[in-house]
């Protein structure tokens, strides 16, 4: 069952009913000011940091759910007098009133969401977006009277303020209920309601919610607006048809503006509600002096004035569209499969942008109050983002590398505001260091910008500890070599990619964190997955040294020694993995603290895990020996079902103290046998690399939102983005998705489909083109902006692999960047014509 | 305006409307299992620890508020067939349905709450309580058909489970939404719905919600019960008249039981819903084995069976009443003033029990997720509790003292589960140590149990550090002497009693904790308040040594040296306070980090503070010189208004970085000029001590809930208990109360009214009787159980102070315990007849 449809021309997903199985959301904002918005208008806004600078209040797991942050009420009034009463009230977003609408449509687009509704012949279009370069969310509401009678319509818009720190806001009531402060500015042109809690003391920021029209009432006290027992569906002020001009003193400040529209038949009017965030210099906080308590509103007036007419709003919308046009120009495909095209050209890349911006902080499942930026997460997110804005990727890499410790290990998370490692979570996740190699390699393959390798980058943010970034990579690789166990495999530490496989934790205390406790660290537990990573990213490190060592200041001898040493270590690790890491029909997952295998036929449960099969084959391990094919065949047979490939099987039915959190979940959910979407692309890539093109694509489509859109009633989450986990075949609810949006699946899927299936793959030398597609794809074109040129790539199935560049036939599948000379570029308007047969 | 009335005979407050200004709550439970319940049925339950072992879910500051933890739905059905539909549904607690009731009454009693309601001629009585000695909340519902027709009534009871850790439950959704697990047990007698989330792994506990009747349906999935957009007011299952027997897999498990009653005219039936908590030994967790996943239900069956009939429930209620009879027997008064009697005999003591049990953890304002037990808080709470159950007070004292550091300082908080100091909050609150002297003195004055002083008590819970408790007191006192500033006054440290007066913090970073940051600790800032404390509690320490030193193993010389040294230090501090600490018309509050006075006429704002006036006069400072009277006169003139005595004046209009949090609040709220109820009794005691009996009582009654009951529309919080703060005269909402129930006001008020106004005051030597009452009290009796005897105290106003004990006229006002010999006790049935004139 579907609840909407893709509108590819508009780059929108159009939701046709408010009653989606779960709220289906979108993200607004691309720089500092961000908002989440659901298909019924729920969500919240924050400035930079979802925990410390939350602007509007949102209650996770609430009953009723998804209400209260921004609420709009359209009240058809009995007449136009002062004593008019509401005939009926509805919301243009359906919630919170829940009044049945005659028409409803929610269009989630790139950085904006539009709600179209109609009721009683009154149609509305409510557009929400964050303009490029503005710290504001604009809610532009156009109302049209499609009846043949004049009507009086009262419009009320409301936001509920969060008292800045989202954690304190929801816990520290003995303080919070006394701190709320507001100001009101109201004239014949507009009403601006200011939220200035704690501005008196240490804050230099406030927020406002304005309306560009004269209002007939406002409220800033939530209790005054809602009444004693009412929710956002039935505020007493809305029922009464009258706001009370309340001033909040503590408790819960809100901003509610009410305006009356008199609409002639066929008349349209547009209102602009602006949610703005303002910072002022410390010496300009006040209108006159601090004792007055009157805030300096000049910057608010300036921000307000930028969007105070429908025309200015339209210009800002056009600018936002231009912004996205520019970004999505970098990679596009015409494949003949509209589902593939829409995901590659729009939604995969859009989700990559969101994961890059949000990391794992703020979604409808991540509360925005817990995690910082993950070392592992952010490096991987970057793989799917680097082509969009390489400059931001460059900065992110340097931020991440600056939190690395000088032994090559890493803090597992760092805080985006301070950019410092998070000591509460600590380190010891032994896969972390190698992901830095992955992201730097991807950056170099995209840009050829060797200068990043020479950037002086500190360890643990300590002044004086700076070393070139290349040295960070060297330490990353050597950290693995220096931490190996009894089989010669890398030690797993607290966990590797799978945070829930905790082989040294041995926790028996409820609530104890599996990720930060080590009760039994014997230095024995090993990870076959990290072994695969080492082979893959160790090789990439050697490639980097080989190609850029000179530019990074190494002499030829040093380069050659380093490369030889690493390649030899890689070869050794490959052999160890194929021997000690091989179970017979698949790769073992790990060895536990007793050196017993995990993910082996010897185990009763958890006999096979997905991660080492994907990573080892991606690293090329077992390709020659046939073990790669054998492992992938086992994955298909034992882990793969209708909804994708599960993380392990059989799921654990009891808690295994020697394995940790993985065995805590009910069977078939999360790491205990769920389909953890993140590693499905690894299996797809692995299949592509060994030539299983049909299965490679089948893995992609089983798990790809657009391809399972018609099962949205089962999958439940948004059909335009990935979720972290789909309940596995051993669960009670197979196919049920959870934790949509903020998942490494976004980056890895785009890497997979763009670089391995469509096969347009940046390398250090240039763009590689080598498609791996099933039989029904025969004729495709890909456009790729790369290193300053635009590659027009025509792909045709002929059964033979050939590569022709600007008419010249080349060996292999790489278009050397060197070949795309300055001359070529200017001659051809920066265009490179590539023809590929396969 | 009132919203109910006191029923003193029943020891109840009877609320007559659901529409109280705020939820008015009660506490159930007295040992390990606790519940909060509001006058509309809201609240939640926990086992021992409101943060780590929360049983049912509660959303603070929710919209709509106060719903969802336990919901009852009575549905009058169209007929008795399987396809019957609801005619109307209401809640016997008004919420969550909000259906108007024909009758409504909520009776909050001692450890129980009863809801009486009627609708459509169906009357209901719903009694909620936690039985003595059981880990369960019983909800007993009696339904009576008062009409002359048979009716079919469906009754549905629902609780929403919290996933144990209240913090994780409200933040960690990426895990939580996949962990929920339930079991269902249903037969012809009953339905038991089990909540067993995480039982599979490290937990050895589960909960259940049962009904002692055959059910016609259940739900364990909240989504199935509520539907996509519905709140607790209108669950889809209730509207449909049919539950769906849903099994929760992750998301949000609930327990909903539905039963059908066929009621003849005038027929009554009683249903018992039980919310039970069960722990099982690790080796008995499962019915058969862990792989089955079926929990061992035997202990649940046993708990269930204890309350599975109306008769058993009535017995448990009787036992609860007995329990409270026994406790409240210890102190009672008949004064002729029903408001005084009800507060002293019932509500003050009840609130003291609740604050002793809860500290500051779980109320409708304290979210139960933050603070542990306060060193300062718990010592003070004990002052009002020690007479009720001295054995528990004794254990609490030893727990608190064990967290003291070996230099005499203290962790500011400790965790009730681990009983260890909380390093996140740290120490350095320099008033903390002296409160230990206060509580030990109170314990000794109550019990004469010198053995506590010899208890080997560790410092910072470290094995091997044990010293007798008396040594802890010595270090407490010496800590103050060893930390004095330029004037010879005690250094204030991070703060003293007023957590918000932060003289060394100097914070300019938003969100930074004023209590844990020291940016400018120059060791200069001094507290006149602690000076007063030192004089008071230093003297008490000397009294303790003098009286019990020998029993505690000191020789006569050591005793005499120690007592002389302390009394000399006390005298010195008294003099310093009267000189350096005196501003001219009142005591200065403190000296800041620049040695500038705080709370002085030299200041523009914050010229006078309440705390030093109360504490210094209680300590006897300035009594002879007239400064005490002068200070109290200034308090009356400058701080006292209709609603009580404000904490300071004038309130601060701007942030003062050198003063800290106190200046962050809006004017007139909290520590910035609010009426902080906690220190009003100090002013009352101080007035009593200097003979201002009228004003002493006036201070008590201005702030006393029962005396301002008729202004409940302004005060808003419960009229039967104190709140932390009433908005001050400089606020926008004078008289508005906040943060009811968990406040040190409870203990201090009971100390004030019982020991100083009524004047029945335990001392080390025996019971002192010296009333200080205004002119309209002339003839009173107090009954006091004390050191094994029952004192019947008759007080009469004659204008002359006399004391007669068992017919014998004594000098002074103390009845020496030695005089109440064993013989007297047995002769008089343990009764002591005391006659006092005043």
């Amino acid at each position: 069952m579907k609840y909407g449809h893709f509108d590819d021309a508009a780059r929108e997903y159009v939701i046709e009913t408010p009653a989606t199985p779960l709220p289906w959301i979108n993200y607004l904002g691309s720089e500092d000011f961000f908002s989440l918005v659901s298909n019924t208008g729920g969500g919240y806004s924050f400035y930079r940091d979802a925990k410390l600078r939350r602007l509007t209040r949102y209650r996770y797991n609430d009953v009723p759910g998804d209400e209260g942050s921004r609420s709009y009420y359209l009240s058809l009034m009995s007449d136009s007098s002062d004593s008019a009463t509401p005939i009926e009230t509805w919301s243009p977003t359906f919630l919170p009133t829940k009044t049945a609408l005659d028409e409803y449509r929610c269009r989630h687009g790139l950085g904006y969401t539009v709600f179209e509704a109609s009721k009683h012949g009154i149609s509305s279009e409510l557009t929400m977006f964050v303009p490029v370069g503005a710290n504001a969310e604009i809610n532009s509401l156009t109302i049209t009277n499609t009846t043949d009678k004049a009507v009086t319509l009262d419009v009320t818009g409301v936001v509920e303020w969060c008292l800045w720190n989202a954690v304190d806001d929801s816990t520290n009531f003995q303080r919070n209920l006394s701190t709320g402060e507001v100001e009101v500015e109201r004239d014949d042109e507009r009403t601006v309601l200011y939220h200035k809690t704690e501005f008196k003391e240490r804050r230099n920021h406030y927020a406002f919610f304005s309306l560009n029209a004269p209002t007939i009432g406002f409220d800033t006290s939530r209790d005054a607006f809602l009444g004693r027992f009412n929710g956002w569906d039935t505020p007493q002020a809305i029922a009464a048809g009258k706001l009370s001009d309340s001033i909040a003193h503590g408790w819960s400040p809100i901003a509610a503006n009410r305006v009356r529209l008199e609409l002639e038949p066929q008349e349209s009017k547009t209102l602009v509600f602006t949610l703005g965030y303002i910072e002022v210099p410390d010496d300009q906080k006040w209108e006159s002096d601090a004792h007055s308590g009157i805030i300096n509103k000049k910057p608010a007036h300036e921000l307000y004035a930028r969007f105070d007419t429908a025309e200015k709003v339209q210009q800002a919308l056009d600018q936002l569209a231009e912004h996205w046009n520019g970004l999505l120009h970098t990679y596009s495909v015409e494949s003949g499969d509209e589902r593939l095209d829409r995901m590659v050209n729009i939604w995969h890349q859009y989700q990559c942008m969101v994961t890059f911006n949000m990391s794992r902080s703020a979604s409808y499942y991540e509360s925005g109050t817990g995690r910082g930026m993950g070392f592992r997460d952010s490096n991987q997110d970057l793989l799917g983002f680097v082509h969009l804005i390489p400059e931001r990727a460059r900065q992110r890499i340097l931020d991440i590398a600056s939190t690395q410790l000088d032994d090559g290990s890493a803090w597992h998370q760092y805080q985006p505001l301070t950019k410092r490692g998070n000591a509460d979570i600590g380190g010891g996740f032994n896969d972390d260091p190698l992901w830095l190699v992955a992201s730097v390699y991807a950056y170099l393959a995209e840009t050829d910008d060797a200068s990043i390798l020479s950037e002086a980058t500190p360890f643990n943010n300590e002044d004086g500890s700076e070393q070139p970034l290349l040295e960070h990579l060297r330490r990353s690789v050597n950290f693995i070599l220096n931490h190996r166990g009894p089989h010669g495999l890398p030690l797993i530490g607290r966990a590797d990619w799978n945070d829930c496989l905790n082989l040294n934790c041995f926790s028996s205390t409820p609530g104890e964190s599996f990720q930060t406790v080590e009760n039994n660290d014997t230095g024995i537990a090993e990870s076959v997955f990290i072994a695969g990573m080492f082979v893959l990213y160790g090789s990439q490190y050697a490639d980097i040294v080989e190609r850029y060592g000179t530019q990074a200041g190494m002499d030829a001898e040093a380069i050659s020694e380093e490369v030889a040493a690493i390649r030899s270590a890689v070869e050794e690790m490959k052999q160890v993995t194929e021997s000690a890491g091989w179970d017979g029909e698949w790769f073992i997952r790990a060895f536990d603290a007793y050196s017993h295998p995990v993910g082996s036929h010897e185990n009763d449960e958890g006999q096979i895990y997905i991660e080492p099969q994907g990573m080892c084959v991606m690293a090329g391990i077992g390709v020659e020996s046939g073990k790669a094919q054998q492992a992938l065949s086992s994955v298909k047979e034992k882990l793969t079902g209708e909804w994708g490939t599960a993380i392990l099987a059989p799921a654990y039915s009891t808690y295994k103290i020697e394995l940790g959190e993985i065995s805590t979940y009910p069977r078939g959910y999360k790491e205990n046998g769920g389909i953890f979407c993140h590693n499905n692309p690894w299996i797809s890539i692995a299949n592509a690399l060994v030539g299983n093109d049909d299965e490679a694509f089948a893995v992609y489509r089983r798990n790809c939102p657009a391809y399972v859109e018609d099962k949205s009633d089962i999958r439940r989450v948004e059909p335009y983005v990935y979720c972290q986990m789909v309940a596995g075949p051993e669960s009670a609810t197979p196919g049920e998705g959870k934790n949509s949006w903020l998942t490494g699946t976004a980056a890895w899927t785009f890497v997979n489909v763009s670089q391995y299936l469509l096969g347009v793959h940046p390398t250090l030398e240039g763009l590689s083109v080598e498609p791996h597609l099933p039989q029904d794809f025969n004729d495709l074109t890909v456009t790729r902006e790369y290193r300053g040129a635009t590659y027009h790539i025509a792909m045709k199935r002929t059964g033979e692999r050939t590569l022709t560049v600007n008419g010249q036939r080349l060996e292999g599948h790489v278009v050397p960047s060197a070949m795309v000379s300055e001359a070529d570029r200017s001659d051809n308007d920066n265009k490179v014509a590539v023809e590929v047969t396969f």
Side-chain angles (χ1 to χ4, degrees), chain A residues 822-836:
Chain A
E822 286 300 324
D824 279 339
R825 292 184 198 174
S826 54
D827 285 357
N828 295 297
D829 197 17
N830 276 355
K831 285 180 184 159
V832 183
V834 180
E835 291 165 58
V836 166

Side-chain angles (χ1 to χ4, degrees), chain A residues 398-407 409 411 418-421 423 456-468 472 475:
Chain A
L398 296 174
D399 287 346
I400 297 170
S402 300
T403 70
Q404 189 179 27
L405 301 172
D406 64 5
D407 68 350
S409 68
W411 294 112
T418 63
K419 297 189 175 176
R420 285 175 183 273
T457 311
F459 290 98
N460 198 20
N461 292 104
E462 281 164 16
D463 287 343
S465 68
E466 292 82 0
Q467 292 283 339
H472 283 255
R475 296 197 194 182

Side-chain angles (χ1 to χ4, degrees), chain A residues 335-396:
Chain A
S335 71
D337 177 342
E338 65 173 12
R339 292 172 295 188
L340 181 65
D341 289 1
R342 71 170 60 115
M343 292 311 288
V344 171
N345 297 342
I346 306 167
W347 297 99
H348 285 334
Q349 298 192 68
Y350 188 55
Q351 190 175 5
C352 283
M353 172 65 88
V354 170
T355 58
F356 183 85
N357 283 332
M358 298 286 129
S359 186
R360 305 295 172 269
S361 70
S363 74
Y364 261 37
Y365 307 88
E366 300 284 3
S367 59
T369 59
R371 292 198 265 179
M373 310 284 283
F375 193 96
R376 173 202 296 149
D377 296 332
S378 291
N379 278 306
Q380 290 178 88
D381 289 346
L382 196 142
L383 305 179
F385 171 84
V386 61
H387 68 293
L388 291 173
I389 313 179
E391 302 72 28
R392 286 186 68 192
R394 189 182 200 276
Q395 186 56 50
R396 177 68 57 83

Side-chain angles (χ1 to χ4, degrees), chain A residues 157-161 193-194 208-210 219-221 253-257:
Chain A
V158 193
V159 299
E160 181 177 8
W161 300 114
L193 304 175
Y194 294 90
F208 68 83
F209 186 61
S210 65
D219 269 312
T220 66
S221 156
I254 63 166
N257 278 318

Side-chain angles (χ1 to χ4, degrees), chain A residues 8 15 86 167 248 414 446 453 514 518 522 525 555 601 619 631 638 685 709 751 815:
Chain A
D8 295 332
I15 302 169
V167 174
Y414 72 99
E446 182 68 30
L453 296 171
F514 289 101
E518 281 178 341
T522 53
D555 62 28
H601 71 283
K638 292 182 178 291
I685 293 171
E709 184 195 7
V751 167
V815 186

